[in-house]
């Protein structure tokens, strides 16, 4: 009986909710709003991408210029209660290895929202916010599983909002724990464990949504979806149409192959996220270790942290971490390039994150030996 119940919840229920029924079509009316409808235009997407890349480049220059002037072990301190947040103060290893959208958009916005609305001063706890981003991830997965491009774009925006809530619970936790602006992970807290579990579920919902979308688009017998009505509302083709010997054929794949492609992406996301987390801990133990100020080891620590090798590794982690991989796939989904992304990129990120972590371990072993840590 218990096994049947679990099977229903884990398989039949999710299949019924995500695969067999479409998301509410009223959500697509969001794109009737002028500021959102323009997002479908290629020129607008290019302009936004150019603006963000320019913004990230300028902020990176300011960030690492400021980083060259500080000692990481001293600067990663708790901020004052009345201090206004800035991404250019209170540096920490975790902040320096963070992806660009989180570093320069998500985290600042959560800090400012908390300062204005005072979430951390009310009854709202980080765990409550964690449960809310779990629910948001589930709803986002439902939209990502749709064969309608506008639904999937709404799913992308919902998932980005889930990421924002995930950052907000960290902001509220730090404020309530008296660690405001100290950007570190407390692995011993129950909140960290809950947040990690919910992040895992969030990644699972993302992968499941992608799999169901691929199954609708490429699965054997996908043409049967036309009969349920909502497929007819899609403005994108059900499958890629190719020409073979002057004959039009429909591309389809087995469910096992689609599941394998989705699993590879999920694996690359998990490995990139875990390697990034381990790298943050390893760098923190070395570069934020408190030596005596007059100690020669303190000077060596600062020199190593500002070395070109350290900066290169830091920057590569900003591009290859788990959150960065998540951003890349969401961009691909928004641009309707999900299948193209899944063809090769999971292999790239799986190899890149693994090799980068191996290089990080080798480098930090040398630094730790020099610092007698």
């Amino acid at each position: 009986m218990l096994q049947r119940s679990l099977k229903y919840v884990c398989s039949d229920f999710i299949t019924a909710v995500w695969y067999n029924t479409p998301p509410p079509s009223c959500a697509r009316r969001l794109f009737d709003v002028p500021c959102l409808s323009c997002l479908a235009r290629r020129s607008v997407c290019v302009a936004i991408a150019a603006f963000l890349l320019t913004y990230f480049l300028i902020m990176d220059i300011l960030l690492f210029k400021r980083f060259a002037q500080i000692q990481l072990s001293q600067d990663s301190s708790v901020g004052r209660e009345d201090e206004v947040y800035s991404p250019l103060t209170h540096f920490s290893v975790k902040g320096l290895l963070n992806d660009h959208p989180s570093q320069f958009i998500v985290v600042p916005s959560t800090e400012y929202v908390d300062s204005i609305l005072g979430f951390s001063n009310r009854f709202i706890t980080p765990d409550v916010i964690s449960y809310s981003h779990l629910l948001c991830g589930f709803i986002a997965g439902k939209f990502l599983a749709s064969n309608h491009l506008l639904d999937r774009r709404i799913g992308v925006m919902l998932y980005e909002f889930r990421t924002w809530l995930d950052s907000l619970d960290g902001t509220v936790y730090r404020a309530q724990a008296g660690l405001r602006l100290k950007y570190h992970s407390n692995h011993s807290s129950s909140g960290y464990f809950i947040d990690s579990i919910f992040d895992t579920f969030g990644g699972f919902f993302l992968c499941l949504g992608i799999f169901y979308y691929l199954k609708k688009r490429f699965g054997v017998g996908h043409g049967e979806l036309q009969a349920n009505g909502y497929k007819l509302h899609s403005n994108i083709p059900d499958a890629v149409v190719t020409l073979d010997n002057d004959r039009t054929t429909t591309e389809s794949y087995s469910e096992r192959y689609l599941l394998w492609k989705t699993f590879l992406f999920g694996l690359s996301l998990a490995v990139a996220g875990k390697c990034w987390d381990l790298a943050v801990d390893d760098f923190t133990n070395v570069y934020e270790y408190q030596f005596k100020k007059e100690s020669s080891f303190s000077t060596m620590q600062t020199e190593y942290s500002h070395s070109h090798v350290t900066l290169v590794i830091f920057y590569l982690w900003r591009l290859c971490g788990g959150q960065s991989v998540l951003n890349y796939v969401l961009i691909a989904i928004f641009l309707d390039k999900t299948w193209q992304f899944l063809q090769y990129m999971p292999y790239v990120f799986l190899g890149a994150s693994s090799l980068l972590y191996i290089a990080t371990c080798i480098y930090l072993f040398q630094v730790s030996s020099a610092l007698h840590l």
Side-chain angles (χ1 to χ4, degrees):
M1 181 65 69
L2 178 60
Q3 185 177 3
R4 290 182 179 179
S5 300
L6 290 175
K7 180 180 182 297
Y8 172 76
V9 172
C10 297
S11 177
D12 298 345
F13 174 74
I14 294 181
T15 300
V17 172
W18 281 11
Y19 187 75
N20 295 333
T21 58
S25 59
C26 60
R28 300 172 198 160
R29 296 173 186 171
L30 288 172
F31 284 90
D32 293 335
V33 180
C35 63
L36 292 179
S37 61
C38 65
L39 293 177
R41 301 175 184 174
R42 182 184 298 271
S43 58
V44 174
C45 292
V46 171
I48 293 175
F51 171 78
L52 289 177
L53 289 175
T54 304
Y55 170 66
F56 292 153
L57 178 61
I58 294 174
M59 292 302 295
D60 269 343
I61 294 173
L62 296 176
L63 181 79
F64 285 100
K65 185 177 180 180
R66 168 80 168 79
F67 174 63
Q69 301 171 357
I70 59 98
Q71 187 175 1
L72 197 57
S73 59
Q74 302 297 325
D75 201 68
S76 56
S77 57
V78 179
R80 303 187 311 272
E81 288 293 331
D82 59 343
E83 186 174 354
V84 178
Y85 173 83
S86 170
L88 303 179
T89 60
H90 296 280
F91 283 8
S92 66
V93 167
K94 185 176 180 179
L96 290 170
L97 269 64
N98 216 357
D99 63 289
H100 292 84
S102 296
Q103 175 80 8
F104 300 128
I105 297 177
V106 176
V107 173
S109 63
T110 58
E111 290 285 354
Y112 296 143
V113 167
D114 182 56
S115 298
I116 296 172
L117 301 181
F119 286 127
S120 57
N121 298 324
R122 301 181 181 180
F123 62 90
I124 298 177
T125 65
D127 290 347
V128 171
I129 302 176
S130 295
Y131 280 102
S132 66
H133 76 63
L134 175 68
L135 176 61
C136 188
F138 181 84
I139 298 174
K142 164 71 174 178
F143 279 87
L144 293 173
S146 174
N147 48 15
H148 197 294
L149 179 57
L150 291 184
D151 287 339
R152 296 198 300 278
R153 286 178 171 173
I154 293 172
V156 169
M157 291 188 289
L158 285 172
Y159 206 90
E160 288 290 1
F161 182 62
R162 188 218 73 87
T163 302
W164 188 86
L165 290 174
D166 188 22
S167 178
L168 180 64
D169 69 18
T171 299
V172 172
Y173 166 78
R174 289 190 293 272
Q176 293 180 349
L179 301 172
R180 189 169 182 272
L181 305 184
K182 188 175 177 65
Y183 200 54
H184 289 273
S185 295
N186 185 1
H187 296 278
S188 61
S189 66
S190 60
Y192 177 83
F193 176 76
I194 293 174
D195 192 54
S196 299
I197 295 296
F198 287 175
D199 284 344
T200 302
F201 273 108
F204 173 74
F205 294 149
L206 171 66
C207 293
L208 199 60
I210 291 175
F211 169 69
Y212 279 146
Y213 158 67
L214 294 178
K215 187 177 178 181
K216 291 175 183 178
R217 182 176 179 182
F218 295 117
V220 177
H222 57 271
E224 298 175 359
L225 290 174
Q226 298 280 358
N228 64 21
Y230 74 91
K231 180 61 187 171
L232 300 176
H233 295 290
S234 177
N235 59 356
I236 61 173
D238 179 55
V240 176
V241 177
T242 58
L243 293 178
D244 183 18
N245 297 327
D246 297 329
R247 183 178 61 184
T248 302
T249 59
T250 303
E251 186 178 358
S252 63
Y253 301 99
S254 67
E255 182 175 325
R256 179 177 297 182
Y257 181 75
L258 298 177
L259 185 61
W260 169 249
K261 283 293 185 181
T262 308
F263 170 77
L264 278 179
F265 165 71
L267 180 63
S268 67
L269 179 63
V271 170
K274 185 60 178 179
C275 288
W276 181 89
D277 198 47
L278 292 173
V280 169
D281 288 342
D282 294 342
F283 272 116
T284 300
N285 293 334
V286 174
Y287 287 149
E288 294 188 23
Y289 182 82
Q290 295 286 342
F291 288 104
K292 294 181 179 180
K293 291 185 178 180
E294 304 299 330
S295 172
S296 60
F297 290 124
S298 179
T299 303
M300 291 176 59
Q301 182 189 50
T302 303
E303 292 176 353
Y304 274 116
S305 66
H306 293 162
S307 68
H308 294 299
V309 177
T310 298
L311 295 180
V312 169
I313 294 178
F314 275 7
Y315 208 84
L316 288 176
W317 276 121
R318 291 167 72 85
L319 300 176
C320 299
Q323 187 60 45
S324 296
V325 175
L326 192 61
N327 291 332
Y328 299 147
V329 74
L330 290 177
I331 293 173
I333 294 172
F334 193 89
L335 298 178
D336 197 22
K337 300 295 182 182
T338 308
W339 182 244
Q340 292 86 335
F341 180 90
L342 294 180
Q343 290 293 83
Y344 304 106
M345 296 311 295
Y347 299 100
V348 173
F349 292 124
L350 189 61
S353 57
S354 301
L355 292 176
L356 184 56
Y357 182 65
I358 293 174
T360 298
C361 291
I362 295 174
Y363 175 65
L364 285 180
F365 176 78
Q366 297 175 347
V367 176
S368 300
S369 299
L371 297 177
H372 292 184
L373 292 176

